[in-house]
Amino acid sequence: MNDYLWLIPFFPLLGFLINGLLGRNFSEKMVGIIGAGAIFLSFVTTLLTFKELLTLEPEHRIFIQKLYTWMATGNFSVDVAFRFDALSAVMTLVVTGVGFLIHVYSIGYMHGDRGFFRYFAFLNLFTFAMLLLVLGNNFLILFLGWEGVGLCSYLLIGFWYEKIDYANAGMKAFIVNRIGDFGFLLGMFLIFKHFGSLDFDQVFSNAAAVPPGVITAITLLLFVGATGKSAQIPLYVWLPDAMAGPTPVSALIHAATMVTAGVYMVSRASALYILSPLALSVVAVIGVATALFAATMAITSQDIKKVLAYSTISQLGYMFLAAGVGAFSAAIFHLMTHAFFKALLFLGAGSVMHALSNETNLMKMGGLRKHLPITFWTFLVGGLAISGIPGFSGFFSKDEILWKAFSSPFGSPVLWGVGAVAAGITAFYIFRMIYLAFYGESRVDPEVALHIHESPKVMTVPLMVLAVLSIIGGYVGIPHVYMGLEHFLEPVFEPASVAMAAGAAGHASASTEFTLMGISVVIALAGIYLAYQLYVMNPEKPRQLAQSMHGLYTLLFNKYYVDEIYQAVFVKPFVNLSNVFFWRFFDVKIIDGIVNGVARIFGNIAAGLRRMQTGIVQMYALSLMLGAIIIFGYFILR
Amino acid sequence: MPLTYYLVLGAILFSLGVLGVLTRRNAIIIFLSIELMLNAVNLTFVALSNHVQNLDGQVFVFFVMIVAAAEVAVGLALIVAIFRLKETVYVDEINLMKW
Amino acid sequence: MQEILFFVLAAVAVLSALGMLLNKNPVYSVLLLIVTLFSIAGLYVLLNASFIAAVHLIVYAGAIMVLFLFVIMLLDIRADVEHINLKRLSRILALLATFIFLGETFLIIWMSLKGKAAFVGLGEGILGDVPSVGELLFTKYLLPFEIASVLLLVAIVGAIILAKRKLRPEPPAA
């Protein structure tokens, strides 16, 4: 067994404590070394553990380390225990590996910021919570990490809290997530009610014994949690605003790791989901709808980070599509490749902003290819990967998902079709962004243009590493390769794959697979070509198009008015209700009334009792005597 | 000679002290009464010390005297201070601690 | 012989205590209390407590009572004119409470000594002379003894501060 599992989350926690408590007095270099070093140690530990895991037989590839019993009341007992199986291993490697690169990058990106140590402390705390989430051996530890990452997300979105907009964005993320967490909590309660335990093994092995209706309720409630954390319809609204945080934070939390927690959780609970076809279809439909919906919104966004944010929402939709058709390993596969290329794109965007004095407006970029060669090439790799161009990682994972959406017993051609269209749009908006930022005439503000410079090594090296990973990351997933990812993850998703195999008889053939693959590649290439035509060959064309399709453009530009609708439907009425009823009536009249009433009662009693305080010493002495008499009397009569 | 005699005598002297504290108005007399009460207790201490064949009781009497001396010093200083302020030593005319 | 001495001393003590209680002039009260204290000192001697008797005389009769006299004369307190402000009821209550208390005390003494032969006196019991009590004070009770000296020091300082006419010099007249 492996007794060092606890070290993986421990190092980031230690880093958080050191930097958080003492970092104020450290130099930037010191803080950076502690912050990144903690993640590096954690990464090395993960690698060693992973190596040990691989030496075992596939069916026994699981380490469980119980640290202590957290709480035990009645028949409710929760252990603080870590679980390192194939799924956790992939997640942990992504979190620590990508996390380490982003920590290193941050040293350069955050250089000179007043909150440097605070930033690194939060980032380490985030990593700790995320590791808790993926390593936890029961739903409560998972939830602990889940809340922890939510907290860190809030802290880091509002990192520059002097700006009211940024602080509000943090609150929005927190509140929207809370709605999802509520569903998650209810799901956990249901699990405990029907399984009597929150332990993964006990829940999943007894899943078949619980009525299907209950399973459906549990899985749907858990999925509500996932939509909050992973920014799916209808709770995705916080993620675009979350771009207020520092860009490496967007890369780590709002692209690579935290937002994928929902996917992880659904995959972890695959044994439950597979028992409920209804829940699966809900997941798949929400996923594919989000993929398409978010992709369309990305088309008109002029903010480089917002484009990437919508892109993240869209890609998360793909992951849920995969999970919804029962292809959990495809979901995790895409999660992994997405972590690579989306972190790369975000860090690239950060590098662009770094060069342009934090300019995020695509309309004020252009022609940056010459000035930022490393950023450009790595960004291009990321763009090709996310567009699904063969040879890059995104191609393998996205194609896997689309194929499963088509061929799985839970899938359908409609899901495939919508997914393919979204993939085409993805290619279009990504290359729109690349062309706007790196090609054509420079539209940079003159005084900013003077300072354009390539980022320092500490930022470009992580970019290059991520670029390499974005290319080769896909090859672990090719199904027929020895030790492929799907094969590796199989023990974890065993109930799911059994169910899939049962329904998949004679459904799929290799030729269909390759035809579909060809179609999706053609769609992607068409998207890129369209972007090239519109934004490089005829730069005037987009504006004309926008005018000719004014209604659609405005609708997209305003993000379907979802924020406004939410504001009008949920926020306003609730604010008014609180204002009129909860505050002016309930709080003032009832709550304050009770409190003040109690105080007044005691005030009146005291007003009477204080007459006893005559100020005459002998009165006091007399009462002292009476007390003595009573005590003596007690001893006599006893 | 019976121990009871001494105890009864102590009780009587103590009760006289109590009566003085409860009825007299002059702060100095109240103080004297308190001294009387202390002495009544001391007498009981010594008597019981003799009875149980243990000198610890007498040591206690010694400490009671020390505390009484300290108390008298501070208490009389207080009376002097109050007299300066209120021109009286009658406790029923001093009710600064009234509600 | 012993018993006669006891009764004489006890009678003197109780009577002079009563006198202290009833006398209107505080100076007489103090003098009567000194008489009580002297007879109590005699009782200490009857109880073999010669050390305590000596300390008692020195501390109480010699120091504390003189202090009382000083204060009385310093304040020039007039004779306690009986304009009774205390309500009658409270005086009756006080008297009643005291008698109940005394009765209870007697009851407790009786209950705890009932049927036991408990005797004290000159011939019997241990000797509370200076060497034996002093040895106890400087061995077993050394720490309380030292603390008591600190207590006295604090009391002295406190008394001086309290009785001083002004804590701070008057601010210069403007």
Side-chain angles (χ1 to χ4, degrees):
Chain A
M1 285 312 288
N2 193 311
D3 291 334
Y4 299 103
L5 216 46
W6 62 275
L7 280 174
I8 299 176
F10 173 73
F11 284 126
L13 181 65
L14 195 66
F16 160 66
L17 291 175
I18 294 175
N19 269 344
L21 296 176
L22 309 169
R24 189 179 295 273
N25 309 316
F26 292 167
S27 66
E28 277 196 7
K29 200 172 167 192
M30 182 87 172
V31 170
I33 287 172
I34 292 170
I39 311 299
F40 183 70
L41 287 174
S42 179
F43 179 57
V44 169
T45 318
T46 313
L47 275 182
L48 294 175
T49 320
F50 183 61
K51 208 171 134 244
E52 204 177 320
L53 190 74
L54 284 183
T55 60
L56 299 174
E57 290 294 309
E59 307 85 67
H60 300 116
R61 275 180 188 157
I62 177 164
F63 295 136
I64 290 180
Q65 187 188 10
K66 184 189 154 181
L67 290 183
Y68 58 92
T69 300
W70 183 9
M71 51 178 111
T73 50
N75 58 352
F76 178 65
S77 161
V78 177
D79 292 338
V80 173
F82 295 133
R83 176 195 189 89
F84 196 82
D85 58 7
L87 179 57
S88 303
V90 174
M91 291 300 293
T92 315
L93 281 172
V94 169
V95 171
T96 54
V98 176
F100 171 62
L101 291 173
I102 293 174
H103 273 75
V104 172
Y105 176 94
S106 302
I107 297 175
Y109 188 83
M110 297 302 287
H111 173 67
D113 194 283
R114 272 197 305 127
F116 195 82
F117 79 96
R118 192 163 54 94
Y119 174 84
F120 272 90
F122 287 164
L123 218 53
N124 275 358
L125 180 64
F126 166 78
T127 313
F128 164 69
M130 191 69 203
L131 290 170
L132 215 55
L133 197 164
V134 298
L135 288 172
N137 192 32
N138 53 52
F139 278 101
L140 203 64
I141 298 288
L142 194 159
F143 188 68
L144 195 69
W146 186 273
E147 290 298 313
V149 293
L151 169 71
C152 295
S153 163
Y154 161 76
L155 290 172
L156 284 164
I157 292 170
F159 182 72
W160 288 306
Y161 51 82
E162 296 94 339
K163 295 192 182 165
I164 187 80
D165 283 354
Y166 291 7
N168 284 343
M171 279 194 273
K172 183 173 178 183
F174 204 66
I175 291 167
V176 173
N177 266 304
R178 197 76 325 115
I179 299 171
D181 294 345
F182 187 59
F184 192 148
L185 265 180
L186 291 180
M188 280 212 304
F189 294 159
L190 263 186
I191 288 174
F192 178 67
K193 183 163 182 284
H194 288 276
F195 293 91
S197 168
L198 291 175
D199 192 81
F200 286 148
D201 281 330
Q202 288 189 36
V203 170
F204 298 148
S205 54
N206 296 328
V210 171
V214 174
I215 294 281
T216 304
I218 290 173
T219 47
L220 284 178
L221 284 169
L222 291 181
F223 184 61
V224 170
T227 58
K229 191 66 60 187
S230 293
Q232 297 296 292
I233 292 174
L235 297 178
Y236 69 90
V237 288
W238 64 271
L239 190 56
D241 288 7
M243 295 302 125
T247 309
V249 167
S250 309
L252 178 62
I253 300 186
H254 306 117
T257 53
M258 184 192 87
V259 288
T260 60
V263 181
Y264 166 78
M265 191 263 289
V266 170
S267 307
R268 174 57 81 195
S270 59
L272 299 178
Y273 277 88
I274 208 70
L275 293 174
S276 169
L278 176 65
L280 276 181
S281 8
V282 169
V283 173
V285 169
I286 295 269
V288 77
T290 310
L292 182 66
F293 188 67
T296 57
M297 285 190 283
I299 297 175
T300 55
S301 181
Q302 297 190 338
D303 183 317
I304 189 167
K305 287 183 73 182
K306 291 258 164 92
V307 172
L308 290 173
Y310 286 117
S311 161
T312 303
I313 299 173
S314 169
Q315 298 300 312
L316 289 166
Y318 276 109
M319 295 174 209
F320 279 110
L321 169 62
V325 297
F328 294 103
S329 57
I332 296 299
F333 182 27
H334 195 56
L335 188 161
M336 186 182 82
T337 58
H338 174 256
F340 296 150
F341 59 66
K342 188 51 66 65
L344 170 60
L345 287 170
F346 263 116
L347 295 186
S351 179
V352 170
M353 288 163 60
H354 193 71
L356 298 181
S357 313
N358 288 327
E359 180 61 63
T360 59
N361 192 337
L362 281 169
M363 296 303 145
K364 292 191 175 171
M365 295 180 187
L368 294 175
R369 189 170 32 144
K370 298 180 290 291
H371 302 291
L372 309 172
I374 301 175
T375 308
F376 167 66
W377 283 110
T378 51
F379 204 78
L380 185 65
V381 169
L384 289 170
I386 195 174
S387 304
I389 300 303
F392 294 90
S393 60
F395 166 73
F396 298 102
S397 54
K398 189 180 281 187
D399 211 66
E400 176 89 5
I401 290 175
L402 288 176
W403 166 241
K404 284 283 161 48
F406 182 82
S407 67
S408 148
F410 302 102
S412 81
V414 178
L415 292 177
W416 175 84
V418 178
V421 170
I425 301 176
T426 305
F428 173 75
Y429 68 70
I430 287 289
F431 275 86
R432 165 182 175 267
M433 179 171 71
I434 291 175
Y435 290 138
L436 280 175
F438 293 99
Y439 284 78
E441 295 293 308
S442 174
R443 298 177 301 277
V444 181
D445 287 341
E447 71 265 32
V448 174
L450 293 175
H451 306 296
I452 294 183
H453 57 91
E454 182 60 284
S455 303
K457 280 244 164 43
V458 71
M459 289 167 70
T460 51
V461 170
L463 283 179
M464 290 187 275
V465 175
L466 281 170
V468 172
L469 285 173
S470 297
I471 296 171
I472 64 168
Y475 291 93
V476 300
I478 300 176
H480 311 294
V481 175
Y482 173 68
M483 273 293 299
L485 186 70
E486 184 173 0
H487 183 65
F488 176 63
L489 287 171
E490 203 165 292
V492 182
F493 299 133
E494 204 181 347
S497 42
V498 168
M500 293 278 279
H507 193 48
S509 72
S511 62
T512 329
E513 181 171 358
F514 284 117
T515 314
L516 293 175
M517 197 186 289
I519 294 174
S520 63
V521 170
V522 167
I523 292 176
L525 287 173
I528 296 174
Y529 178 73
L530 189 63
Y532 184 71
Q533 281 296 327
L534 284 178
Y535 293 97
V536 179
M537 301 308 284
N538 310 305
E540 288 306 307
K541 193 80 176 167
R543 199 166 303 136
Q544 294 165 13
L545 270 178
Q547 268 160 12
S548 62
M549 294 192 288
H550 185 72
L552 183 64
Y553 180 80
T554 321
L555 183 67
L556 288 180
F557 190 76
N558 288 304
K559 300 163 280 181
Y560 296 98
Y561 297 100
V562 170
D563 275 335
E564 284 77 6
I565 292 170
Y566 281 2
Q567 186 75 22
V569 176
F570 297 113
V571 180
K572 275 265 171 56
F574 197 73
V575 167
N576 287 337
L577 184 70
S578 306
N579 210 349
V580 174
F581 179 73
F582 288 122
W583 173 28
R584 287 184 205 287
F585 173 70
F586 195 79
D587 200 58
V588 171
K589 295 269 161 58
I590 308 241
I591 303 284
D592 289 2
I594 290 172
V595 172
N596 291 339
V598 169
R600 209 169 293 134
I601 288 169
F602 282 106
N604 290 338
I605 292 174
L609 284 180
R610 74 183 184 142
R611 303 272 160 196
M612 286 170 63
Q613 303 292 319
T614 54
I616 298 171
V617 187
Q618 283 168 324
M619 285 294 187
Y620 302 160
L622 187 58
S623 29
L624 193 73
M625 265 323 283
L626 291 177
I629 287 170
I630 290 168
I631 291 171
F632 273 34
Y634 168 76
F635 279 113
I636 290 167
L637 297 175
R638 197 170 52 156
Chain B
M1 199 172 137
L3 172 65
T4 323
Y5 288 8
Y6 282 97
L7 296 183
V8 169
L9 177 62
I12 292 170
L13 288 176
F14 189 87
S15 298
L16 285 173
V18 168
L19 209 55
V21 170
L22 290 184
T23 52
R24 291 301 297 256
R25 306 164 50 229
N26 191 326
I28 290 177
I29 307 291
I30 290 178
F31 237 114
L32 289 175
S33 305
I34 292 173
E35 296 305 316
L36 185 60
M37 286 159 75
L38 284 171
N39 275 287
V41 173
N42 279 356
L43 182 64
T44 323
F45 256 128
V46 175
L48 283 168
S49 157
N50 192 296
H51 170 61
V52 299
Q53 306 286 314
N54 190 336
L55 279 180
D56 286 352
Q58 301 195 12
V59 175
F60 262 88
V61 171
F62 181 76
F63 284 121
V64 170
M65 285 179 187
I66 292 171
V67 173
E71 175 224 329
V72 165
V74 175
L76 286 177
L78 277 171
I79 290 176
V80 169
I82 290 174
F83 185 77
R84 284 217 192 96
L85 194 69
K86 305 276 286 187
E87 289 291 326
T88 181
V89 287
Y90 297 130
V91 288
D92 53 336
E93 290 168 18
I94 306 164
N95 53 4
L96 290 172
M97 274 164 47
K98 200 177 175 178
W99 65 85
Chain C
M1 179 63 192
Q2 236 192 87
E3 303 217 353
I4 297 168
L5 262 177
F6 171 82
F7 280 116
V8 170
L9 288 171
V12 171
V14 171
L15 285 177
S16 52
L18 254 173
M20 174 211 83
L21 203 60
L22 298 175
N23 208 301
K24 285 178 191 169
N25 191 335
V27 179
Y28 291 155
S29 289
V30 172
L31 293 176
L32 282 167
L33 187 63
I34 291 174
V35 174
T36 310
L37 294 179
F38 265 102
S39 42
I40 288 178
L43 291 171
Y44 286 161
V45 174
L46 280 185
L47 286 168
N48 273 349
S50 53
F51 173 73
I52 290 298
V55 174
H56 179 81
L57 279 181
I58 296 166
V59 172
Y60 266 111
I64 294 180
M65 287 305 130
V66 171
L67 201 59
F68 270 100
L69 281 178
F70 266 145
V71 169
I72 292 167
M73 290 169 181
L74 195 71
L75 297 184
D76 189 21
I77 297 166
R78 56 197 191 278
D80 194 346
V81 186
E82 286 290 340
H83 57 96
I84 295 170
N85 256 6
L86 274 179
K87 304 229 166 55
R88 259 212 144 61
L89 181 67
S90 64
R91 284 205 150 183
I92 294 167
L93 265 179
L95 212 63
L96 205 65
T98 311
F99 275 111
I100 294 172
F101 180 77
L102 194 61
E104 281 182 341
T105 319
F106 285 165
L107 218 68
I108 286 178
I109 292 170
W110 179 72
M111 278 163 66
S112 46
L113 291 179
K114 180 175 49 173
K116 286 180 198 156
F119 291 101
V120 289
L122 250 181
E124 38 219 312
I126 48 169
L127 206 61
D129 57 353
V130 179
S132 47
V133 181
E135 197 195 333
L136 210 54
L137 269 180
F138 285 103
T139 53
K140 193 175 169 188
Y141 291 100
L142 184 61
L143 184 65
F145 184 76
E146 297 298 337
I147 292 174
S149 65
V150 176
L151 175 74
L152 282 173
L153 179 67
V154 171
I156 292 164
V157 174
I160 291 170
I161 293 288
L162 282 170
K164 250 166 83 172
R165 204 156 271 279
K166 297 222 161 47
L167 288 182
R168 260 176 246 112
E170 253 332 86

